[in-house]
Amino acid sequence: MAHPEGSRAQREQRRGPVVRRYGQMQAGTTDQHLLDTRGAADWVHEDPFRVMRIQSEFVEGFGALAELPPAISVFGSARTPRNSPEYEAGIAIGRGLVESGFAVITGGGPGAMEAANKGATEAGGVSVGLGIELPFEQGLNPYVNLGVDFRYFFVRKTMFVKYASGFVVLPGGLGTLDELFEALTLVQTKKVTRFPIVLFGSAYWSGLVDWFRDTIVAEGKAGPHDLHLFHVTDDVEEAVRLVTKEAGM
């Protein structure tokens, strides 16, 4: 393939570790784009800038959570009504975890998350909310006493696992399932160890457990031992005991 004539300097552009040649070359320099306030602001929406924003979210999250005591992440639906048995169970679980010496981490939203934060706060514990920027999100619930808001789901999910010693999963929707399967995958692949996962509410989770056993395991897509990656219970005290005992306390 023929290349345009000219010196190497005319057909090669270096920006830090990135080399651009021929049709991939861009006008101006990085410093010029930074210092030229007269130009368009589109650069703040480009991928290289997003990397810095992602990095800053990790730094802020690590900084805010680094000194947490041992903690358990509690997941569940944002749509759980306040006058429901599930909400009351969330309060009791949050309280029980604090009484067992753990901080409580939730997604910081309403519903089951609010319930767990409420139980933790009323018990005098550390009540963490890791919020996410969504078009319909209501912000952090009033029972969070340490909150961090994130733009990116994957950064937030890292915090849930890195700073928790286990998960309690109340009935929930797609977001709850996302966190559950993330945790199951990490435990199955031994990316994390000693990480108990408790599903609270056997009536809600029984269909999923049956499908896991009768389809995924039965067809060889997972091993029979993978059925032991989680526990199912309807008892608050058992849920707290299982998740704290296996977490090492």
Side-chain angles (χ1 to χ4, degrees):
M1 183 176 103
H3 297 300
E5 294 183 0
S7 68
R8 180 179 179 132
Q10 292 174 324
R11 52 190 171 85
E12 181 175 282
Q13 180 183 62
R14 291 179 176 269
R15 289 189 172 176
V18 179
V19 177
R20 293 181 178 274
R21 291 173 176 162
Y22 311 116
Q24 293 299 311
M25 292 174 63
Q26 297 175 339
T29 66
T30 302
D31 283 341
Q32 181 182 352
H33 286 294
L34 175 64
L35 298 174
D36 186 2
T37 57
R38 296 170 297 175
D42 292 346
W43 63 275
V44 301
H45 305 296
E46 294 175 354
D47 287 344
F49 184 76
R50 288 193 183 100
V51 171
M52 300 302 294
R53 182 177 285 167
I54 291 165
Q55 182 182 31
S56 72
E57 289 209 348
F58 277 112
V59 171
E60 290 293 339
F62 293 158
L65 304 175
E67 296 182 359
L68 274 185
I72 300 294
S73 290
V74 181
F75 299 100
S77 176
R79 303 179 183 184
T80 301
R82 287 178 175 167
N83 59 351
S84 67
E86 287 176 17
Y87 189 91
E88 293 302 318
I91 294 175
I93 289 170
R95 181 185 305 116
L97 291 171
V98 168
E99 291 173 350
S100 297
F102 285 78
V104 171
I105 303 173
T106 80
M113 295 174 282
E114 177 185 286
N117 285 131
K118 181 178 181 180
T121 296
E122 291 180 345
V126 180
S127 178
V128 180
L130 305 181
I132 185 70
E133 180 183 282
L134 294 174
F136 49 82
E137 191 59 65
Q138 301 177 28
L140 296 176
N141 69 67
Y143 300 102
V144 169
N145 54 40
L146 176 59
V148 184
D149 275 316
F150 295 93
R151 290 185 177 92
Y152 301 100
F153 268 113
F154 59 88
V155 179
R156 179 183 186 233
K157 288 167 72 174
T158 299
M159 303 301 159
F160 279 130
V161 176
K162 178 173 175 57
Y163 292 103
S165 302
F167 283 179
V168 176
V169 189
L170 282 77
L174 297 181
T176 301
L177 291 172
D178 180 42
E179 297 294 349
L180 169 60
F181 280 99
E182 172 92 2
L184 289 172
T185 301
L186 291 173
V187 176
Q188 183 200 48
T189 57
K190 301 189 185 304
K191 294 293 186 180
V192 296
T193 57
R194 294 180 61 84
F195 199 89
I197 301 168
V198 177
L199 307 182
F200 186 86
S202 59
Y204 187 85
W205 296 111
S206 61
L208 178 64
V209 174
D210 290 345
W211 174 73
F212 196 105
R213 181 187 61 244
D214 300 335
T215 301
I216 296 180
V217 173
E219 294 187 5
K221 305 299 191 297
H225 57 280
D226 290 328
L227 292 169
H228 301 295
L229 296 177
F230 56 87
H231 307 275
V232 183
T233 184
D234 295 306
D235 183 80
V236 169
E237 292 185 2
E238 183 181 28
V240 172
R241 178 177 57 80
L242 286 170
V243 78
T244 56
K245 178 181 178 182
E246 292 194 22
M249 287 190 68

